[in-house]
Amino acid sequence: MIHEIGPPGTFSRSDLLFGLLQGVVQRYEPQVAAVLRGDRTTEGLAAALLARTLQAQGIWFQLLAIAEQNRDMRNRREVERERGYEKLRGTFANVFASAAAEGITAAEIRRALSGLRIRPVVTAHPTEARRVTVLERQRRIYLRLLDLESPRWTERERQELVRALDDEIELLWLTGELKLAKPTIAQEVAWGLYFFHENLFDVVPQMFAKVESAFAKHFPDEPFEVPLFFQFGSWIGGDRDGNPYVTSEITRRTLWETRLASLRRYRTRLLDLVRNLSIEDRALT
């Protein structure tokens, strides 16, 4: 089932996702789809169908959260377009602009950042039962919604994007959502590193670049080297109070895997740099 949609902004993301989910569930479990639509209750459903109903409702809440995140980001971009980036509360541009307007000096900014320490700690929380496969599928659904916002698509191309979104939701329905066995410590380490590979290795340097750019704009001609005020910690593979199976060997291996992940990232970025920098040495003479 393909849903007709108009140009960006003329359709509800949540309605689109709900319609696609209903279509997927209808193909596999019509009785569950009836409950999802509100056409019937769960009374009299077999245990297996009741479990599938709970799964369908759980997926719908996940899709609704994705739609709300997409909406919030669109609203944020709209504010930036209308009022400017410095008017976005909580951004470094906004903070530095306010500081400069209030007469705070560059030296005070440098001292504040040098004394600042932010360290999010990664942990294999026992209540996090979702598989990485499910997290990746949800991220692709978000990116599909993002693609649909572009005004450059023809109607045919937009329908192809909706079909791709429908495929992602169908795969989410067919994917086992929960871990059925307690993960090993090695699996917990891989789960923690997943988030670094997926986005943290990219967004943290972007954050430091925003600090540097905002400082240069509001305090021009002032020397500034962004201090490493933002770092990460981790309990995974080292928490002997939380996991009795953690040993010194496991902690050593975890540190080694973490170190290798960082080195591989540097290697990948250096290879990208080599491919992108095609400047010939004689062109600079």
Side-chain angles (χ1 to χ4, degrees):
M1 179 171 61
I2 300 299
H3 291 255
E4 296 295 329
I5 56 175
T10 64
F11 69 97
S12 165
R13 272 72 174 170
S14 58
D15 288 345
L16 172 65
L17 293 176
F18 188 69
L20 292 174
L21 176 61
Q22 279 194 83
V24 168
V25 178
Q26 181 68 36
R27 292 197 291 272
Y28 290 93
E29 300 288 357
Q31 294 184 71
V32 174
V35 176
L36 193 62
R37 290 192 303 268
D39 294 341
R40 63 161 296 174
T41 67
T42 57
E43 185 176 357
L45 282 183
L49 286 177
L50 183 58
R52 294 296 269 173
T53 300
L54 292 174
Q55 180 189 3
Q57 292 173 335
I59 291 175
W60 166 232
F61 288 134
Q62 295 166 10
L63 295 177
L64 185 59
I66 292 171
E68 290 175 346
Q69 184 180 13
N70 177 268
R71 178 206 60 201
D72 292 343
M73 290 305 299
R74 284 187 289 114
N75 292 341
R76 180 186 175 92
R77 289 195 295 272
E78 189 64 28
V79 170
E80 182 176 346
R81 278 193 294 267
E82 293 179 355
R83 302 173 57 193
Y85 184 52
E86 293 179 1
K87 298 299 182 181
L88 283 175
R89 294 187 62 185
T91 62
F92 288 107
N94 176 255
V95 171
F96 286 176
S98 300
E102 294 174 10
I104 297 176
T105 66
E108 291 175 299
I109 297 288
R110 284 193 294 267
R111 282 196 299 271
L113 286 175
S114 296
L116 186 63
R117 292 293 181 272
I118 301 174
R119 182 172 293 175
V121 177
V122 182
T123 178
H125 201 282
T127 61
E128 179 53 78
R130 286 179 298 177
R131 297 168 58 197
V132 167
T133 307
V134 173
L135 297 175
E136 290 175 339
R137 194 72 57 197
Q138 292 171 354
R139 177 170 174 77
R140 282 197 287 270
I141 290 171
Y142 176 85
L143 293 176
R144 297 290 188 190
L145 282 182
L146 200 61
D147 285 340
L148 280 170
E149 293 183 16
S150 175
R152 70 180 183 271
W153 307 120
T154 65
E155 182 59 27
R156 173 187 58 80
E157 291 171 324
R158 292 181 64 75
Q159 292 302 327
E160 288 176 356
L161 288 172
V162 173
R163 274 191 285 270
L165 186 58
D166 184 70
D167 290 342
E168 296 290 357
I169 292 175
E170 183 171 13
L171 286 170
L172 186 61
W173 170 256
L174 295 173
T175 300
E177 291 190 67
L178 304 179
K179 304 184 183 93
L180 300 180
K182 180 179 175 61
T184 65
I185 297 175
Q187 289 171 330
E188 290 179 346
V189 171
W191 181 85
L193 290 176
Y194 161 79
F195 295 98
F196 287 90
H197 293 303
E198 186 68 17
N199 53 31
L200 291 177
F201 276 142
D202 290 320
V203 300
V204 173
Q206 292 171 11
M207 179 191 69
F208 282 115
K210 290 177 181 178
V211 175
E212 187 173 22
S213 175
F215 186 91
K217 179 175 182 179
H218 296 287
F219 302 96
D221 304 323
E222 286 282 350
F224 182 61
E225 182 175 345
V226 183
L228 297 178
F229 62 86
F230 190 91
Q231 299 174 330
F232 287 96
S234 176
W235 283 108
I236 303 176
D239 184 10
R240 287 171 175 76
D241 291 333
N243 191 329
Y245 300 103
V246 173
T247 63
S248 297
E249 177 58 31
I250 285 176
T251 301
R252 186 179 299 108
R253 191 182 312 135
T254 299
L255 291 171
W256 179 251
E257 288 296 327
T258 304
R259 186 181 296 113
L260 279 181
S262 299
L263 291 174
R264 290 187 184 113
R265 178 64 178 185
Y266 278 121
R267 184 176 184 273
T268 299
R269 296 298 292 128
L270 284 172
L271 291 175
D272 290 341
L273 191 61
V274 169
R275 283 191 292 266
N276 291 330
L277 287 181
S278 57
I279 302 171
E280 186 180 10
D281 56 355
R282 287 175 294 179
L284 298 176
T285 59

